[in-house]
Amino acid sequence: IMNMFEWVKEFTLILKILSGDNKTTIPDLARKTGLSARKISNELKALREDFHILKREGGRKDGYWIIDEFQV
């Protein structure tokens, strides 16, 4: 079971990377964080659907991430 500190640390790292490059892909995030692509995908889903902090605009190739600063 992951403790709250580790969970927040992962979310913060993902958001920091995306705020620097909003076209970052899941494989890029996995390499930069050391987490698995599946873990990144699950974390992104939580940031989008549970916390409403993150949005995805556009398609797979030309899409980008939007961080809702108001929610952070």
Tab-separated table of all heavy atoms in Angstrom, residues 19-66:
chain	number	residue	atom	x	y	z
A	19	SER	N	3.907	20.599	-16.794
A	19	SER	CA	3.874	22.069	-16.843
A	19	SER	C	5.067	22.606	-17.639
A	19	SER	O	4.984	23.680	-18.224
A	19	SER	CB	3.834	22.664	-15.444
A	19	SER	OG	5.050	22.455	-14.772
A	20	GLY	N	6.154	21.852	-17.683
A	20	GLY	CA	7.321	22.259	-18.467
A	20	GLY	C	7.199	21.912	-19.936
A	20	GLY	O	7.750	22.593	-20.796
A	21	ASP	N	6.481	20.837	-20.253
A	21	ASP	CA	6.285	20.403	-21.639
A	21	ASP	C	4.932	19.714	-21.731
A	21	ASP	O	4.811	18.539	-21.418
A	21	ASP	CB	7.408	19.455	-22.071
A	21	ASP	CG	7.247	18.967	-23.508
A	21	ASP	OD1	6.332	19.450	-24.212
A	21	ASP	OD2	8.027	18.095	-23.918
A	22	ASN	N	3.936	20.456	-22.184
A	22	ASN	CA	2.574	19.919	-22.176
A	22	ASN	C	2.309	18.909	-23.291
A	22	ASN	O	1.229	18.363	-23.393
A	22	ASN	CB	1.528	21.042	-22.207
A	22	ASN	CG	1.523	21.806	-23.506
A	22	ASN	OD1	2.395	21.655	-24.351
A	22	ASN	ND2	0.533	22.656	-23.664
A	23	LYS	N	3.306	18.631	-24.120
A	23	LYS	CA	3.158	17.602	-25.158
A	23	LYS	C	3.864	16.306	-24.771
A	23	LYS	O	4.014	15.396	-25.579
A	23	LYS	CB	3.682	18.122	-26.483
A	23	LYS	CG	2.820	19.246	-27.021
A	23	LYS	CD	3.195	19.611	-28.429
A	23	LYS	CE	2.279	20.714	-28.894
A	23	LYS	NZ	1.632	20.430	-30.141
A	24	THR	N	4.298	16.216	-23.527
A	24	THR	CA	4.975	15.024	-23.033
A	24	THR	C	4.052	13.813	-23.148
A	24	THR	O	2.874	13.889	-22.825
A	24	THR	CB	5.388	15.217	-21.562
A	24	THR	OG1	6.244	16.351	-21.479
A	24	THR	CG2	6.131	14.015	-21.032
A	25	THR	N	4.609	12.692	-23.597
A	25	THR	CA	3.829	11.462	-23.765
A	25	THR	C	3.934	10.583	-22.520
A	25	THR	O	4.799	10.799	-21.668
A	25	THR	CB	4.345	10.664	-24.969
A	25	THR	OG1	5.692	10.261	-24.702
A	25	THR	CG2	4.286	11.494	-26.253
A	26	ILE	N	3.082	9.576	-22.458
A	26	ILE	CA	3.131	8.627	-21.340
A	26	ILE	C	4.484	7.916	-21.286
A	26	ILE	O	5.077	7.824	-20.209
A	26	ILE	CB	1.936	7.651	-21.388
A	26	ILE	CG1	0.655	8.417	-21.045
A	26	ILE	CG2	2.150	6.479	-20.440
A	26	ILE	CD1	-0.619	7.615	-21.197
A	27	PRO	N	5.017	7.424	-22.418
A	27	PRO	CA	6.354	6.810	-22.349
A	27	PRO	C	7.435	7.784	-21.857
A	27	PRO	O	8.332	7.393	-21.105
A	27	PRO	CB	6.629	6.356	-23.784
A	27	PRO	CG	5.269	6.161	-24.376
A	27	PRO	CD	4.410	7.230	-23.739
A	28	ASP	N	7.346	9.049	-22.265
A	28	ASP	CA	8.308	10.064	-21.788
A	28	ASP	C	8.186	10.234	-20.269
A	28	ASP	O	9.187	10.305	-19.565
A	28	ASP	CB	8.062	11.426	-22.455
A	28	ASP	CG	8.455	11.451	-23.912
A	28	ASP	OD1	9.264	10.598	-24.335
A	28	ASP	OD2	7.942	12.325	-24.635
A	29	LEU	N	6.945	10.324	-19.777
A	29	LEU	CA	6.723	10.465	-18.336
A	29	LEU	C	7.269	9.252	-17.580
A	29	LEU	O	7.863	9.398	-16.512
A	29	LEU	CB	5.236	10.641	-18.029
A	29	LEU	CG	4.641	12.016	-18.310
A	29	LEU	CD1	3.125	11.968	-18.221
A	29	LEU	CD2	5.199	13.043	-17.355
A	30	ALA	N	7.067	8.067	-18.150
A	30	ALA	CA	7.570	6.849	-17.505
A	30	ALA	C	9.096	6.894	-17.395
A	30	ALA	O	9.659	6.578	-16.339
A	30	ALA	CB	7.117	5.616	-18.285
A	31	ARG	N	9.765	7.293	-18.466
A	31	ARG	CA	11.233	7.394	-18.440
A	31	ARG	C	11.710	8.437	-17.438
A	31	ARG	O	12.657	8.209	-16.691
A	31	ARG	CB	11.769	7.742	-19.830
A	31	ARG	CG	11.949	6.557	-20.737
A	31	ARG	CD	12.736	6.925	-21.978
A	31	ARG	NE	12.056	7.932	-22.788
A	31	ARG	CZ	11.090	7.671	-23.660
A	31	ARG	NH1	10.669	6.438	-23.836
A	31	ARG	NH2	10.535	8.634	-24.362
A	32	LYS	N	11.052	9.582	-17.426
A	32	LYS	CA	11.493	10.682	-16.564
A	32	LYS	C	11.204	10.440	-15.086
A	32	LYS	O	11.918	10.970	-14.230
A	32	LYS	CB	10.831	11.989	-17.009
A	32	LYS	CG	11.332	12.470	-18.358
A	32	LYS	CD	10.603	13.706	-18.823
A	32	LYS	CE	11.093	14.129	-20.191
A	32	LYS	NZ	10.390	15.306	-20.694
A	33	THR	N	10.166	9.667	-14.783
A	33	THR	CA	9.801	9.442	-13.384
A	33	THR	C	10.296	8.109	-12.833
A	33	THR	O	10.362	7.935	-11.621
A	33	THR	CB	8.264	9.471	-13.208
A	33	THR	OG1	7.693	8.407	-13.987
A	33	THR	CG2	7.684	10.811	-13.599
A	34	GLY	N	10.585	7.170	-13.735
A	34	GLY	CA	10.968	5.835	-13.286
A	34	GLY	C	9.768	4.955	-12.967
A	34	GLY	O	9.925	3.831	-12.493
A	35	LEU	N	8.569	5.455	-13.216
A	35	LEU	CA	7.346	4.681	-13.007
A	35	LEU	C	7.002	3.935	-14.297
A	35	LEU	O	7.454	4.302	-15.375
A	35	LEU	CB	6.188	5.612	-12.627
A	35	LEU	CG	6.374	6.452	-11.371
A	35	LEU	CD1	5.257	7.482	-11.250
A	35	LEU	CD2	6.416	5.566	-10.142
A	36	SER	N	6.176	2.913	-14.188
A	36	SER	CA	5.763	2.171	-15.381
A	36	SER	C	4.755	2.999	-16.180
A	36	SER	O	4.079	3.887	-15.640
A	36	SER	CB	5.130	0.840	-14.988
A	36	SER	OG	3.877	1.051	-14.360
A	37	ALA	N	4.644	2.691	-17.464
A	37	ALA	CA	3.678	3.383	-18.318
A	37	ALA	C	2.259	3.156	-17.804
A	37	ALA	O	1.419	4.064	-17.838
A	37	ALA	CB	3.818	2.910	-19.764
A	38	ARG	N	1.972	1.954	-17.318
A	38	ARG	CA	0.642	1.670	-16.771
A	38	ARG	C	0.366	2.531	-15.542
A	38	ARG	O	-0.733	3.076	-15.373
A	38	ARG	CB	0.510	0.198	-16.412
A	38	ARG	CG	-0.863	-0.143	-15.844
A	38	ARG	CD	-0.975	-1.607	-15.499
A	38	ARG	NE	-1.021	-2.438	-16.673
A	38	ARG	CZ	-2.158	-2.881	-17.232
A	38	ARG	NH1	-3.306	-2.564	-16.688
A	38	ARG	NH2	-2.136	-3.636	-18.289
A	39	LYS	N	1.361	2.664	-14.673
A	39	LYS	CA	1.213	3.492	-13.466
A	39	LYS	C	0.958	4.951	-13.858
A	39	LYS	O	0.079	5.614	-13.302
A	39	LYS	CB	2.465	3.364	-12.596
A	39	LYS	CG	2.464	4.221	-11.368
A	39	LYS	CD	1.559	3.676	-10.324
A	39	LYS	CE	1.778	4.415	-9.017
A	39	LYS	NZ	0.737	4.096	-8.070
A	40	ILE	N	1.739	5.445	-14.832
A	40	ILE	CA	1.551	6.820	-15.318
A	40	ILE	C	0.136	6.984	-15.865
A	40	ILE	O	-0.555	7.959	-15.562
A	40	ILE	CB	2.591	7.173	-16.406
A	40	ILE	CG1	4.000	7.225	-15.818
A	40	ILE	CG2	2.232	8.473	-17.112
A	40	ILE	CD1	4.254	8.378	-14.879
A	41	SER	N	-0.303	6.027	-16.663
A	41	SER	CA	-1.642	6.087	-17.243
A	41	SER	C	-2.712	6.150	-16.152
A	41	SER	O	-3.660	6.953	-16.235
A	41	SER	CB	-1.859	4.873	-18.138
A	41	SER	OG	-3.104	4.933	-18.757
A	42	ASN	N	-2.561	5.333	-15.124
A	42	ASN	CA	-3.518	5.345	-14.010
A	42	ASN	C	-3.486	6.665	-13.247
A	42	ASN	O	-4.539	7.193	-12.849
A	42	ASN	CB	-3.247	4.184	-13.060
A	42	ASN	CG	-3.615	2.842	-13.655
A	42	ASN	OD1	-4.426	2.760	-14.565
A	42	ASN	ND2	-2.998	1.793	-13.154
A	43	GLU	N	-2.284	7.207	-13.041
A	43	GLU	CA	-2.160	8.487	-12.328
A	43	GLU	C	-2.786	9.622	-13.141
A	43	GLU	O	-3.474	10.488	-12.592
A	43	GLU	CB	-0.690	8.804	-12.028
A	43	GLU	CG	0.031	7.778	-11.177
A	43	GLU	CD	-0.426	7.740	-9.728
A	43	GLU	OE1	-1.451	8.327	-9.381
A	43	GLU	OE2	0.280	7.102	-8.935
A	44	LEU	N	-2.556	9.614	-14.458
A	44	LEU	CA	-3.148	10.640	-15.321
A	44	LEU	C	-4.669	10.547	-15.302
A	44	LEU	O	-5.360	11.563	-15.274
A	44	LEU	CB	-2.620	10.511	-16.749
A	44	LEU	CG	-1.144	10.848	-16.949
A	44	LEU	CD1	-0.724	10.515	-18.370
A	44	LEU	CD2	-0.862	12.306	-16.633
A	45	LYS	N	-5.176	9.314	-15.310
A	45	LYS	CA	-6.622	9.123	-15.248
A	45	LYS	C	-7.190	9.707	-13.955
A	45	LYS	O	-8.225	10.379	-13.966
A	45	LYS	CB	-6.957	7.635	-15.353
A	45	LYS	CG	-8.433	7.359	-15.353
A	45	LYS	CD	-8.724	5.883	-15.508
A	45	LYS	CE	-10.219	5.651	-15.471
A	45	LYS	NZ	-10.557	4.235	-15.543
A	46	ALA	N	-6.503	9.466	-12.840
A	46	ALA	CA	-6.966	10.023	-11.563
A	46	ALA	C	-6.907	11.549	-11.583
A	46	ALA	O	-7.836	12.215	-11.112
A	46	ALA	CB	-6.109	9.483	-10.415
A	47	LEU	N	-5.843	12.114	-12.134
A	47	LEU	CA	-5.726	13.574	-12.207
A	47	LEU	C	-6.819	14.171	-13.091
A	47	LEU	O	-7.302	15.273	-12.830
A	47	LEU	CB	-4.342	13.970	-12.741
A	47	LEU	CG	-3.188	13.774	-11.767
A	47	LEU	CD1	-1.847	13.892	-12.478
A	47	LEU	CD2	-3.273	14.767	-10.624
A	48	ARG	N	-7.224	13.431	-14.127
A	48	ARG	CA	-8.288	13.911	-15.018
A	48	ARG	C	-9.671	13.694	-14.421
A	48	ARG	O	-10.474	14.626	-14.345
A	48	ARG	CB	-8.222	13.174	-16.374
A	48	ARG	CG	-7.161	13.639	-17.295
A	48	ARG	CD	-7.304	13.080	-18.718
A	48	ARG	NE	-7.868	11.756	-18.811
A	48	ARG	CZ	-7.174	10.624	-18.840
A	48	ARG	NH1	-5.871	10.651	-18.742
A	48	ARG	NH2	-7.780	9.469	-18.967
A	49	GLU	N	-9.978	12.466	-14.022
A	49	GLU	CA	-11.350	12.100	-13.681
A	49	GLU	C	-11.714	12.290	-12.212
A	49	GLU	O	-12.847	12.637	-11.903
A	49	GLU	CB	-11.603	10.654	-14.095
A	49	GLU	CG	-11.503	10.465	-15.603
A	49	GLU	CD	-11.669	9.021	-16.034
A	49	GLU	OE1	-12.006	8.168	-15.186
A	49	GLU	OE2	-11.457	8.746	-17.232
A	50	ASP	N	-10.772	12.037	-11.322
A	50	ASP	CA	-11.075	12.136	-9.890
A	50	ASP	C	-10.841	13.542	-9.344
A	50	ASP	O	-11.629	14.048	-8.555
A	50	ASP	CB	-10.244	11.137	-9.083
A	50	ASP	CG	-10.535	9.697	-9.471
A	50	ASP	OD1	-11.632	9.439	-10.006
A	50	ASP	OD2	-9.664	8.839	-9.264
A	51	PHE	N	-9.742	14.162	-9.768
A	51	PHE	CA	-9.368	15.464	-9.210
A	51	PHE	C	-9.633	16.632	-10.149
A	51	PHE	O	-9.571	17.783	-9.730
A	51	PHE	CB	-7.888	15.448	-8.809
A	51	PHE	CG	-7.591	14.404	-7.765
A	51	PHE	CD1	-6.963	13.223	-8.107
A	51	PHE	CD2	-7.970	14.600	-6.448
A	51	PHE	CE1	-6.702	12.249	-7.146
A	51	PHE	CE2	-7.719	13.639	-5.485
A	51	PHE	CZ	-7.087	12.455	-5.837
A	52	HIS	N	-9.898	16.362	-11.405
A	52	HIS	CA	-10.205	17.398	-12.400
A	52	HIS	C	-9.109	18.461	-12.481
A	52	HIS	O	-9.392	19.642	-12.663
A	52	HIS	CB	-11.567	18.035	-12.120
A	52	HIS	CG	-12.661	17.038	-12.011
A	52	HIS	ND1	-13.223	16.418	-13.102
A	52	HIS	CD2	-13.275	16.495	-10.921
A	52	HIS	CE1	-14.139	15.558	-12.697
A	52	HIS	NE2	-14.191	15.579	-11.376
A	53	ILE	N	-7.865	18.017	-12.346
A	53	ILE	CA	-6.717	18.920	-12.404
A	53	ILE	C	-6.148	18.965	-13.820
A	53	ILE	O	-5.580	19.964	-14.240
A	53	ILE	CB	-5.619	18.455	-11.418
A	53	ILE	CG1	-6.106	18.631	-9.991
A	53	ILE	CG2	-4.309	19.194	-11.642
A	53	ILE	CD1	-5.180	18.039	-8.940
A	54	LEU	N	-6.332	17.898	-14.558
A	54	LEU	CA	-5.671	17.733	-15.840
A	54	LEU	C	-6.704	17.479	-16.928
A	54	LEU	O	-7.701	16.791	-16.699
A	54	LEU	CB	-4.734	16.529	-15.726
A	54	LEU	CG	-3.617	16.353	-16.725
A	54	LEU	CD1	-2.693	17.563	-16.733
A	54	LEU	CD2	-2.827	15.108	-16.377
A	55	LYS	N	-6.448	18.048	-18.107
A	55	LYS	CA	-7.304	17.817	-19.272
A	55	LYS	C	-6.410	17.493	-20.456
A	55	LYS	O	-5.268	17.941	-20.528
A	55	LYS	CB	-8.121	19.062	-19.595
A	55	LYS	CG	-9.106	19.445	-18.532
A	55	LYS	CD	-9.806	20.726	-18.888
A	55	LYS	CE	-10.661	21.165	-17.716
A	55	LYS	NZ	-11.128	22.521	-17.837
A	56	ARG	N	-6.939	16.734	-21.392
A	56	ARG	CA	-6.215	16.403	-22.611
A	56	ARG	C	-6.971	17.022	-23.775
A	56	ARG	O	-8.173	16.812	-23.936
A	56	ARG	CB	-6.136	14.886	-22.777
A	56	ARG	CG	-5.429	14.423	-24.024
A	56	ARG	CD	-3.946	14.478	-23.870
A	56	ARG	NE	-3.308	13.980	-25.087
A	56	ARG	CZ	-2.046	14.142	-25.349
A	56	ARG	NH1	-1.265	14.754	-24.476
A	56	ARG	NH2	-1.527	13.700	-26.453
A	57	GLU	N	-6.277	17.812	-24.583
A	57	GLU	CA	-6.863	18.430	-25.769
A	57	GLU	C	-6.194	17.838	-27.000
A	57	GLU	O	-4.983	17.611	-27.007
A	57	GLU	CB	-6.638	19.948	-25.758
A	57	GLU	CG	-7.420	20.699	-24.719
A	57	GLU	CD	-8.900	20.750	-25.006
A	57	GLU	OE1	-9.290	20.771	-26.185
A	57	GLU	OE2	-9.686	20.750	-24.050
A	58	GLY	N	-6.970	17.603	-28.028
A	58	GLY	CA	-6.423	17.096	-29.279
A	58	GLY	C	-6.263	15.587	-29.267
A	58	GLY	O	-6.606	14.907	-28.305
A	59	GLY	N	-5.705	15.091	-30.349
A	59	GLY	CA	-5.557	13.648	-30.524
A	59	GLY	C	-4.258	13.104	-29.969
A	59	GLY	O	-3.479	13.809	-29.337
A	60	ARG	N	-4.026	11.827	-30.247
A	60	ARG	CA	-2.832	11.150	-29.735
A	60	ARG	C	-1.547	11.787	-30.247
A	60	ARG	O	-0.583	11.914	-29.508
A	60	ARG	CB	-2.854	9.688	-30.157
A	60	ARG	CG	-3.808	8.841	-29.394
A	60	ARG	CD	-3.772	7.426	-29.883
A	60	ARG	NE	-2.407	7.048	-30.267
A	60	ARG	CZ	-1.892	5.862	-30.122
A	60	ARG	NH1	-2.621	4.901	-29.623
A	60	ARG	NH2	-0.666	5.599	-30.496
A	61	LYS	N	-1.532	12.142	-31.512
A	61	LYS	CA	-0.299	12.664	-32.124
A	61	LYS	C	-0.099	14.160	-31.890
A	61	LYS	O	1.003	14.618	-31.649
A	61	LYS	CB	-0.292	12.389	-33.631
A	61	LYS	CG	-0.257	10.926	-33.975
A	61	LYS	CD	1.114	10.370	-33.732
A	61	LYS	CE	1.171	8.932	-34.211
A	61	LYS	NZ	2.448	8.321	-33.959
A	62	ASP	N	-1.155	14.910	-31.992
A	62	ASP	CA	-1.021	16.371	-31.910
A	62	ASP	C	-1.633	16.950	-30.642
A	62	ASP	O	-1.788	18.156	-30.518
A	62	ASP	CB	-1.644	17.032	-33.138
A	62	ASP	CG	-3.124	16.711	-33.286
A	62	ASP	OD1	-3.616	15.828	-32.561
A	62	ASP	OD2	-3.786	17.337	-34.136
A	63	GLY	N	-1.961	16.104	-29.692
A	63	GLY	CA	-2.604	16.564	-28.465
A	63	GLY	C	-1.638	17.147	-27.455
A	63	GLY	O	-0.412	17.065	-27.608
A	64	TYR	N	-2.195	17.761	-26.424
A	64	TYR	CA	-1.390	18.357	-25.357
A	64	TYR	C	-2.203	18.352	-24.067
A	64	TYR	O	-3.415	18.221	-24.077
A	64	TYR	CB	-0.950	19.776	-25.732
A	64	TYR	CG	-2.098	20.696	-26.072
A	64	TYR	CD1	-2.659	21.521	-25.110
A	64	TYR	CD2	-2.626	20.739	-27.363
A	64	TYR	CE1	-3.715	22.357	-25.403
A	64	TYR	CE2	-3.685	21.575	-27.674
A	64	TYR	CZ	-4.222	22.377	-26.697
A	64	TYR	OH	-5.279	23.200	-26.988
A	65	TRP	N	-1.487	18.482	-22.965
A	65	TRP	CA	-2.091	18.469	-21.630
A	65	TRP	C	-2.344	19.890	-21.157
A	65	TRP	O	-1.541	20.786	-21.410
A	65	TRP	CB	-1.165	17.774	-20.638
A	65	TRP	CG	-0.938	16.340	-20.964
A	65	TRP	CD1	0.163	15.812	-21.584
A	65	TRP	CD2	-1.815	15.250	-20.703
A	65	TRP	NE1	0.010	14.453	-21.717
A	65	TRP	CE2	-1.200	14.087	-21.181
A	65	TRP	CE3	-3.065	15.142	-20.109
A	65	TRP	CZ2	-1.792	12.828	-21.085
A	65	TRP	CZ3	-3.651	13.891	-20.019
A	65	TRP	CH2	-3.024	12.758	-20.502
A	66	ILE	N	-3.459	20.085	-20.460
A	66	ILE	CA	-3.786	21.367	-19.838
A	66	ILE	C	-3.946	21.123	-18.344
A	66	ILE	O	-4.736	20.271	-17.932
A	66	ILE	CB	-5.094	21.957	-20.408
A	66	ILE	CG1	-4.951	22.221	-21.902
A	66	ILE	CG2	-5.467	23.227	-19.652
A	66	ILE	CD1	-6.246	22.620	-22.567
